């Protein structure tokens, strides 16, 4: 489904990703974790080409992602993305946010787009918010709507970049619940997160990154039971101590 | 202070008429120049905010040249120098056949000058839209054109309204510089009343009050507009 | 007109240099005077004294609503009348520029002072400082870094604005260039040359302002 080969990227002299490779199959849920500054966020943003890379190849559903960001638009529209800070468009209502790319990228009619949006809003329990503006909603509500916005494009896979780390603790649960349900339905998901509970419950494999490198890829149970690398062990002991 | 005030001068012919003509000319030159400035400046600002190297350079040059030469000198350049540099026929046409050459020149010069200032504000407004918005638009597969039209510009527009208000006010003030190439706008007319009647302060007071009134009306109008667009889409003010 | 005659400019160079000297001197005086006046106005506007603050606001908004040329005319006729004797255009213009720039600089300074976090004001006042001490010792030093680039940018605008003394026939750089252009009948050469000089000086100022503002970003 998604194949990443030899991805490298640097900002000037500063390398942020070094020769990262990963293959994710259909219906698989992969969690990427690691200390902050390990490059995991950049890695997931490179997967649909919104961050340009210096070397490496990304294949999505058999198609190689073009290196020019603008040229990759069509493939990108098939991969949903959820951001740390939601990135709902503040000048548009919830409904308009969800319909924008459906209408302008997928060329759906307004009626079809709105019907799709309503169905999805009902599923995440926000049917009554369609005419609200993002700033009128809580963080948890905004993030659930951002997920709906991505799902409305009928994506073949979903990328999540720390979807709960900007949320107040009491709102994390409602977002994770939606993600968990998606995982159960068989959505292909790549999730950057520190929520180890979610990882244990949903992920098939864990990718551990540090200093721009993929240090370890392991089955979820193996990773938590006995990680093979020292760095992952250290990371886990710190994060699970909380 | 030894000065014989005589406010009735302002209401005598032909001085009242001069003031009226001056106000009309100031309005006309400013608004015509603003149309040029807004159109051209927005275009240049958008192009300048894009990543493309060559376009950035060209638009950057425009902005720097027009911002770093005094407007008075720019008026002189358009009025006295450009006709000399053009092919002979075009130069002669500009000097002889163009109706009201000083007014047209003033509008063009003021418009092109203000366009550079508008461009800076537009580019800054687009840059002020958080980077994540661009990324979200990219991620959903919107094209560059769609990204600007649907996501970046509507947000930049709201950011840019307050500085645009002050640019719009500035264009009325700057239109007074057109007097240097012989446009009889408000300041020139009051100066003329001063030299005819020696009752300068009455005339200057009238002009000052007029400029302040324009400023008040524009500010009030823009406050209404700002409130309108704020209701249409509440934006968290950072 | 045939060809670009550079010798005209070379011959007139001493005269033009004198004009440029006046433009720069005018800029310097207006900037120093305007900053001083602007600081006073800004401090009054932010103070708790309602009435003086209102007067200061009136001053600022009044000057900002009117074109500089009109202000120059006002003072050109007003100053000799107030003093009861002719003083020459230069003094009237200097006063006009200082008063006018004071309004603009006060807005830059006020915004700078307001940009300092309220906690800083509270901390200073909690330690027993007076309003003026708080501004002088705590707020102004922090605000200065933020204001510096805007002050330089305003200086560039001011330098360009000095060309407007053309309307009262003071021999600044612009007027000098115009005089040579007309007496020698070499309009193209002189105005193009003048444009280059203004462009070079103002670009230097703009680059300095940019340096200051990017330097600030690294400082914090």
């Amino acid at each position: 489904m998604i194949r990443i080969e030899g991805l490298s990227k640097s900002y000037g002299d500063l390398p942020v990703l070094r020769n990262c490779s990963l293959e994710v199959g259909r219906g698989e849920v992969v969690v990427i974790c690691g200390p902050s500054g390990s490059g995991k966020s950049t890695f997931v943003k490179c997967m649909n080409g919104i961050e340009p890379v210096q070397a490496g190849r990304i294949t999505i559903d058999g198609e190689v992602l073009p290196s020019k960001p603008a040229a990759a638009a069509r493939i990108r529209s098939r991969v949903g993305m959820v951001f740390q800070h939601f990135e709902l468009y503040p000048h548009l209502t919830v409904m308009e946010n969800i319909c924008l790319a459906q209408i302008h990228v997928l060329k759906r009619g307004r009626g079809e787009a709105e019907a799709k949006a309503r169905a999805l809003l009902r599923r995440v329990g926000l049917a009554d918010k369609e005419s609200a503006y993002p700033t009128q909603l809580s963080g948890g509500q905004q993030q659930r709507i951002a997920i709906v916005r991505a799902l409305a494009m009928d994506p073949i896979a979903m990328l999540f970049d720390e979807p709960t780390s900007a949320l107040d603790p009491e709102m994390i649960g409602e977002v994770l619940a939606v993600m968990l349900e998606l995982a159960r339905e068989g959505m292909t998901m790549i999730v950057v997160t520190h929520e180890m509970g979610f990882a244990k419950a949903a992920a098939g494999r864990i990718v551990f990154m540090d200093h721009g490198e993929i240090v370890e890829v392991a089955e979820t149970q193996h990773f938590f039971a006995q990680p093979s690398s020292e760095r992952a062990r250290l990371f886990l002991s710190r994060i699970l101590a909380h | 202070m030894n000065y014989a005030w005589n406010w009735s001068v302002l209401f005598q012919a032909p001085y009242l008429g001069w003031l009226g003509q001056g106000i009309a000319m100031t309005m006309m030159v400013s608004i015509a120049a603003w149309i040029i400035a807004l159109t051209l400046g927005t275009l240049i600002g958008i192009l300048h905010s894009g990543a493309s190297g060559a376009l950035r350079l060209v638009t950057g040059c425009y902005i720097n040249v027009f911002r770093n030469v005094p407007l008075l000198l720019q008026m002189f350049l358009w009025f006295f120098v450009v006709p000399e540099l053009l092919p002979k026929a075009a130069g002669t046409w500009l000097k002889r056949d163009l109706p009201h050459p000083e007014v047209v020149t003033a509008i063009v010069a003021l418009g092109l000058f203000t366009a550079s200032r508008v461009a800076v504000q537009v580019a800054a407004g687009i840059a002020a839209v958080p980077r994540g918005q661009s990324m979200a638009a990219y991620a959903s597969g919107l094209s560059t054109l769609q990204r600007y039209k649907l996501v970046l510009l509507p947000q930049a527009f709201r950011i840019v309204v307050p500085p645009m208000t002050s640019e719009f006010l500035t264009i009325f003030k700057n239109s007074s510089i057109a007097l240097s190439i012989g446009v009889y706008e408000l300041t020139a007319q009051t100066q003329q009343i001063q030299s005819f009647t020696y009752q300068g302060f009455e005339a200057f007071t009238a002009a000052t009050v007029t400029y302040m009134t324009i400023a008040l009306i524009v500010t009030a109008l823009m406050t209404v507009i700002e409130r309108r667009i704020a209701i249409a889409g509440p934006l968290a003010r950072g | 007109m045939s060809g670009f005659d550079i010798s005209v400019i070379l011959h007139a160079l001493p005269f033009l240099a004198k004009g440029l000297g006046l433009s720069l001197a005018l800029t310097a005086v207006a900037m120093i005077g305007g900053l001083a006046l602007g600081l006073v106005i800004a401090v009054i506007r932010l103070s708790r004294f309602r009435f003086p603050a209102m007067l200061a606001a009136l001053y600022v908004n009044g000057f900002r609503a009117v074109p500089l040329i009109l202000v120059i005319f006002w003072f050109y006729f007003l100053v000799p009348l107030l003093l009861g004797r002719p003083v020459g255009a230069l003094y009237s213009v200097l006063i006009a520029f200082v008063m006018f720039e004071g309004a603009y600089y006060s807005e830059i300074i006020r915004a700078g002072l307001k940009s300092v976090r309220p906690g800083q004001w509270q901390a200073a006042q909690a330690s027993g400082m007076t309003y003026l001490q708080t501004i002088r010792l705590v707020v102004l030093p922090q605000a200065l870094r933020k204001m510096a680039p805007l002050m330089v940018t305003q200086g560039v605008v001011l330098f360009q604005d000095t060309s407007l003394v053309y309307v009262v026939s003071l021999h600044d750089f612009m007027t000098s260039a115009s005089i040579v252009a007309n007496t020698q009948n070499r309009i193209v050469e002189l105005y193009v040359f003048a444009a280059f000089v203004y462009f070079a000086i103002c670009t230097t100022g703009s680059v300095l302002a940019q340096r200051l503002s990017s330097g600030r970003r690294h400082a914090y």
Side-chain angles (χ1 to χ4, degrees), chain A residues 85-98 121 124-149 166-168 170-171 174-175, chain B residues 233-236:
Chain A
H85 297 286
F86 332 134
E87 303 303 348
L88 292 175
Y89 306 126
H91 60 300
L92 302 176
T93 62
V94 165
M95 181 55 86
E96 288 164 344
N97 260 285
I98 301 169
L121 280 173
V124 300
L126 292 170
D128 55 331
K129 300 292 185 197
E130 62 173 66
S131 51
Y133 283 96
T135 47
Q136 297 165 331
L137 303 174
S138 73
Q141 290 171 327
Q142 289 192 50
Q143 194 61 300
R144 280 185 281 160
I145 283 158
I147 294 172
V148 165
R149 182 175 70 176
L167 294 175
D168 292 334
E170 74 270 21
M171 291 170 182
E174 63 192 61
V175 172
Chain B
L235 265 185

Coordinates of all heavy atoms in Angstrom, one line a residue, chain A residues 85-98 121 124-149 166-168 170-171 174-175, chain B residues 233-236:
Chain A
H85 N -2.1 20.5 15.1 CA -2.9 21.7 15.4 C -4.2 21.8 14.5 O -4.6 22.9 14.2 CB -2.1 23.0 15.3 CG -0.9 23.0 16.3 ND1 -1.1 23.2 17.6 CD2 0.4 22.8 16.1 CE1 0.0 23.2 18.3 NE2 1.0 22.9 17.4
F86 N -4.7 20.7 14.2 CA -6.0 20.6 13.5 C -6.0 21.2 12.1 O -6.4 20.5 11.1 CB -7.2 21.2 14.2 CG -7.0 21.2 15.7 CD1 -7.3 22.3 16.5 CD2 -6.6 20.0 16.4 CE1 -7.2 22.3 17.9 CE2 -6.4 20.0 17.8 CZ -6.7 21.2 18.5
E87 N -5.6 22.4 12.0 CA -5.5 23.2 10.7 C -6.9 23.2 10.0 O -6.9 23.0 8.8 CB -4.4 22.6 9.8 CG -3.0 22.6 10.4 CD -2.6 24.0 10.8 OE1 -3.2 25.0 10.5 OE2 -1.5 24.1 11.6
L88 N -7.9 23.3 10.7 CA -9.2 23.6 10.1 C -9.1 25.0 9.5 O -8.3 25.8 10.1 CB -10.3 23.5 11.1 CG -10.6 22.1 11.6 CD1 -11.7 22.2 12.7 CD2 -11.1 21.2 10.5
Y89 N -9.8 25.3 8.5 CA -9.7 26.7 7.9 C -10.6 27.6 8.7 O -11.8 27.4 8.7 CB -10.1 26.6 6.4 CG -9.3 25.6 5.6 CD1 -10.0 24.7 4.8 CD2 -7.9 25.6 5.6 CE1 -9.2 23.7 4.1 CE2 -7.2 24.7 4.9 CZ -7.9 23.7 4.2 OH -7.2 22.8 3.5
P90 N -10.0 28.6 9.4 CA -10.8 29.4 10.3 C -11.9 30.3 9.7 O -12.8 30.7 10.3 CB -9.8 30.2 11.1 CG -8.6 30.3 10.1 CD -8.6 29.0 9.4
H91 N -11.7 30.5 8.4 CA -12.7 31.4 7.7 C -13.9 30.6 7.1 O -14.7 31.3 6.5 CB -12.0 32.2 6.6 CG -11.4 31.3 5.5 ND1 -10.4 30.4 5.8 CD2 -11.6 31.2 4.2 CE1 -10.1 29.8 4.6 NE2 -10.8 30.3 3.7
L92 N -13.9 29.3 7.3 CA -15.0 28.5 6.8 C -15.7 27.8 7.9 O -15.1 27.5 8.9 CB -14.4 27.5 5.8 CG -13.6 28.0 4.6 CD1 -13.1 26.9 3.8 CD2 -14.5 28.9 3.7
T93 N -17.0 27.5 7.7 CA -17.8 26.8 8.7 C -17.3 25.3 8.6 O -16.6 24.9 7.7 CB -19.3 26.8 8.4 OG1 -19.5 26.2 7.1 CG2 -19.8 28.2 8.3
V94 N -17.8 24.6 9.6 CA -17.4 23.1 9.7 C -17.8 22.5 8.4 O -17.0 21.7 7.7 CB -18.2 22.5 10.9 CG1 -18.1 21.0 10.8 CG2 -17.5 22.9 12.2
M95 N -19.0 22.7 7.9 CA -19.5 22.1 6.7 C -18.6 22.5 5.5 O -18.3 21.7 4.7 CB -21.0 22.5 6.4 CG -21.6 21.9 5.2 SD -21.5 20.1 5.1 CE -22.9 19.6 6.1
E96 N -18.3 23.8 5.4 CA -17.5 24.3 4.3 C -16.1 23.7 4.3 O -15.5 23.3 3.3 CB -17.4 25.8 4.3 CG -18.7 26.5 3.9 CD -18.8 27.9 4.3 OE1 -18.0 28.4 5.1 OE2 -19.7 28.6 3.7
N97 N -15.6 23.5 5.6 CA -14.3 22.9 5.7 C -14.3 21.4 5.1 O -13.3 21.1 4.4 CB -13.9 22.8 7.2 CG -12.9 23.9 7.6 OD1 -11.8 23.8 7.3 ND2 -13.5 24.9 8.3
I98 N -15.3 20.7 5.5 CA -15.4 19.3 5.0 C -15.6 19.2 3.5 O -15.2 18.3 2.9 CB -16.5 18.6 5.8 CG1 -16.2 18.7 7.3 CG2 -16.6 17.1 5.4 CD1 -17.3 18.2 8.2
L121 N -20.2 13.3 10.1 CA -20.4 14.1 11.3 C -21.2 13.3 12.3 O -21.0 13.4 13.5 CB -21.0 15.5 11.0 CG -20.1 16.5 10.4 CD1 -20.9 17.8 10.0 CD2 -19.0 16.9 11.5
V124 N -19.2 10.8 14.2 CA -18.3 11.2 15.3 C -19.1 12.1 16.3 O -18.5 12.7 17.2 CB -17.1 12.1 14.8 CG1 -16.3 11.3 13.8 CG2 -17.6 13.4 14.1
G125 N -20.4 12.1 16.2 CA -21.3 12.7 17.2 C -21.3 14.2 17.1 O -21.4 14.9 18.2
L126 N -21.0 14.8 16.0 CA -21.0 16.3 15.9 C -22.0 16.8 14.8 O -21.7 17.8 14.2 CB -19.6 16.7 15.6 CG -18.5 16.5 16.7 CD1 -17.1 16.8 16.2 CD2 -18.8 17.4 17.9
A127 N -23.1 16.1 14.6 CA -24.0 16.4 13.6 C -24.6 17.9 13.8 O -24.9 18.5 12.8 CB -25.2 15.4 13.6
D128 N -24.6 18.3 15.0 CA -25.2 19.6 15.3 C -24.2 20.8 15.1 O -24.6 21.9 15.3 CB -25.7 19.7 16.7 CG -24.7 19.3 17.7 OD1 -23.7 18.5 17.4 OD2 -24.7 19.8 18.9
K129 N -23.0 20.5 14.7 CA -22.0 21.5 14.6 C -21.7 22.0 13.2 O -20.8 22.8 12.9 CB -20.7 21.1 15.2 CG -20.8 20.7 16.7 CD -21.0 21.9 17.5 CE -21.0 21.5 19.0 NZ -21.7 22.5 19.8
E130 N -22.5 21.6 12.2 CA -22.1 21.8 10.8 C -22.0 23.3 10.4 O -21.2 23.6 9.6 CB -23.0 21.1 9.8 CG -24.5 21.5 9.9 CD -25.3 20.8 8.8 OE1 -25.4 19.6 8.8 OE2 -25.7 21.5 7.9
S131 N -22.8 24.1 11.1 CA -22.7 25.5 10.7 C -21.9 26.4 11.7 O -21.8 27.6 11.5 CB -24.1 26.1 10.5 OG -24.8 25.9 11.7
A132 N -21.2 25.7 12.6 CA -20.3 26.4 13.5 C -19.0 26.8 12.8 O -18.6 26.1 11.8 CB -20.1 25.6 14.8
Y133 N -18.3 27.8 13.3 CA -16.9 28.0 12.9 C -15.9 27.4 13.8 O -16.2 27.2 15.0 CB -16.7 29.6 12.9 CG -17.3 30.2 11.7 CD1 -18.5 30.8 11.8 CD2 -16.6 30.2 10.5 CE1 -19.1 31.5 10.7 CE2 -17.2 30.9 9.4 CZ -18.5 31.5 9.5 OH -19.0 32.0 8.4
P134 N -14.8 26.9 13.3 CA -13.8 26.2 14.1 C -13.5 26.8 15.5 O -13.4 26.1 16.5 CB -12.6 26.1 13.2 CG -13.1 26.2 11.8 CD -14.3 27.1 11.9
T135 N -13.3 28.2 15.5 CA -12.9 28.8 16.7 C -14.0 28.7 17.8 O -13.8 29.0 19.0 CB -12.6 30.3 16.5 OG1 -13.6 30.9 15.7 CG2 -11.3 30.4 15.8
Q136 N -15.2 28.3 17.4 CA -16.3 28.2 18.4 C -16.3 26.8 19.1 O -17.2 26.6 19.9 CB -17.7 28.5 17.7 CG -17.8 29.9 17.2 CD -18.9 30.1 16.3 OE1 -19.3 29.2 15.6 NE2 -19.5 31.3 16.2
L137 N -15.4 26.0 18.6 CA -15.4 24.6 19.1 C -14.2 24.3 20.0 O -13.2 25.0 19.9 CB -15.4 23.6 17.9 CG -16.5 23.8 16.9 CD1 -16.3 22.9 15.7 CD2 -17.9 23.5 17.5
S138 N -14.4 23.2 20.8 CA -13.3 22.8 21.6 C -12.2 22.1 20.8 O -12.5 21.7 19.6 CB -13.8 21.8 22.7 OG -14.1 20.6 22.1
G139 N -11.0 22.0 21.3 CA -10.0 21.3 20.6 C -10.3 19.9 20.2 O -10.1 19.5 19.0
G140 N -11.0 19.2 21.1 CA -11.4 17.8 20.7 C -12.4 17.7 19.6 O -12.3 16.9 18.7
Q141 N -13.3 18.7 19.6 CA -14.3 18.7 18.5 C -13.6 19.1 17.2 O -13.9 18.5 16.2 CB -15.4 19.8 18.9 CG -16.3 19.3 20.0 CD -17.2 20.4 20.5 OE1 -16.8 21.6 20.5 NE2 -18.4 20.1 21.0
Q142 N -12.7 20.1 17.3 CA -12.0 20.5 16.1 C -11.2 19.3 15.5 O -11.2 19.1 14.3 CB -11.0 21.6 16.4 CG -11.7 22.9 16.7 CD -10.7 24.1 16.7 OE1 -10.0 24.3 15.8 NE2 -10.8 24.9 17.7
Q143 N -10.6 18.5 16.3 CA -9.8 17.4 15.8 C -10.6 16.4 15.2 O -10.3 15.8 14.2 CB -8.8 16.9 16.9 CG -7.7 16.0 16.3 CD -6.8 16.7 15.4 OE1 -7.2 17.2 14.3 NE2 -5.5 16.7 15.7
R144 N -11.8 16.1 15.8 CA -12.7 15.1 15.2 C -13.2 15.6 13.9 O -13.4 14.8 12.9 CB -13.9 14.8 16.2 CG -13.5 13.9 17.3 CD -14.7 13.6 18.2 NE -15.0 14.6 19.1 CZ -16.2 14.8 19.7 NH1 -17.2 13.9 19.4 NH2 -16.4 15.8 20.5
I145 N -13.4 16.9 13.8 CA -13.9 17.4 12.5 C -12.8 17.3 11.4 O -13.0 17.0 10.3 CB -14.4 18.8 12.7 CG1 -15.8 18.7 13.3 CG2 -14.5 19.6 11.3 CD1 -16.3 20.0 14.0
A146 N -11.5 17.6 11.9 CA -10.4 17.4 11.0 C -10.3 16.0 10.5 O -10.0 15.8 9.3 CB -9.1 17.8 11.7
I147 N -10.6 15.0 11.3 CA -10.6 13.6 10.9 C -11.7 13.4 9.9 O -11.5 12.8 8.8 CB -10.8 12.7 12.1 CG1 -9.5 12.8 13.0 CG2 -11.0 11.2 11.6 CD1 -9.7 12.0 14.3
V148 N -12.9 14.0 10.1 CA -14.0 13.9 9.2 C -13.6 14.5 7.9 O -13.9 13.9 6.8 CB -15.3 14.5 9.8 CG1 -16.3 14.7 8.7 CG2 -15.8 13.7 10.9
R149 N -13.0 15.6 7.9 CA -12.6 16.3 6.7 C -11.7 15.4 5.8 O -11.8 15.4 4.6 CB -11.8 17.6 7.0 CG -11.4 18.4 5.8 CD -10.8 19.7 6.2 NE -9.5 19.6 6.8 CZ -8.7 20.6 7.1 NH1 -9.1 21.9 6.9 NH2 -7.5 20.4 7.7
A166 N -1.9 18.4 21.1 CA -2.2 19.8 21.4 C -3.5 19.9 22.2 O -4.1 21.0 22.3 CB -2.3 20.6 20.0
L167 N -4.0 18.7 22.6 CA -5.3 18.7 23.3 C -5.2 18.7 24.8 O -4.3 18.2 25.4 CB -6.1 17.5 22.8 CG -6.5 17.4 21.4 CD1 -7.2 16.1 21.1 CD2 -7.5 18.5 21.0
D168 N -6.2 19.3 25.5 CA -6.3 19.2 26.9 C -6.6 17.7 27.2 O -7.3 17.0 26.5 CB -7.5 20.0 27.4 CG -7.2 21.5 27.3 OD1 -6.0 21.8 27.3 OD2 -8.1 22.3 27.2
E170 N -8.6 16.0 29.0 CA -10.0 15.4 29.0 C -10.5 15.3 27.6 O -11.6 14.7 27.4 CB -10.9 16.3 29.9 CG -11.3 17.6 29.3 CD -10.4 18.7 29.7 OE1 -9.2 18.4 30.0 OE2 -10.8 19.9 29.6
M171 N -9.9 15.8 26.6 CA -10.4 15.7 25.2 C -9.7 14.6 24.4 O -10.1 14.3 23.3 CB -10.2 17.1 24.5 CG -11.2 18.1 25.1 SD -10.8 19.7 24.5 CE -11.9 20.6 25.4
E174 N -11.9 11.4 23.4 CA -12.9 11.4 22.4 C -12.2 11.3 21.0 O -12.8 10.7 20.1 CB -13.7 12.7 22.5 CG -12.9 14.0 22.3 CD -13.7 15.2 22.7 OE1 -14.1 15.3 23.9 OE2 -14.0 16.1 21.8
V175 N -11.0 11.8 20.8 CA -10.4 11.7 19.5 C -9.8 10.3 19.3 O -10.0 9.7 18.3 CB -9.2 12.8 19.5 CG1 -8.4 12.5 18.2 CG2 -9.8 14.2 19.4
Chain B
G233 N -16.8 35.3 9.6 CA -15.9 34.2 9.9 C -15.0 34.6 11.1 O -14.0 35.2 10.9
P234 N -15.5 34.2 12.3 CA -14.7 34.7 13.4 C -13.3 34.0 13.4 O -13.1 32.8 13.2 CB -15.5 34.1 14.6 CG -16.4 33.1 14.1 CD -16.6 33.4 12.6
L235 N -12.3 34.9 13.5 CA -10.9 34.4 13.4 C -10.3 34.7 14.8 O -10.5 35.8 15.4 CB -10.1 35.3 12.5 CG -9.9 34.7 11.1 CD1 -9.0 35.6 10.3 CD2 -9.4 33.3 11.1
A236 N -9.6 33.7 15.4 CA -9.0 33.9 16.6 C -7.9 34.9 16.4 O -7.0 34.8 15.5 CB -8.4 32.6 17.1

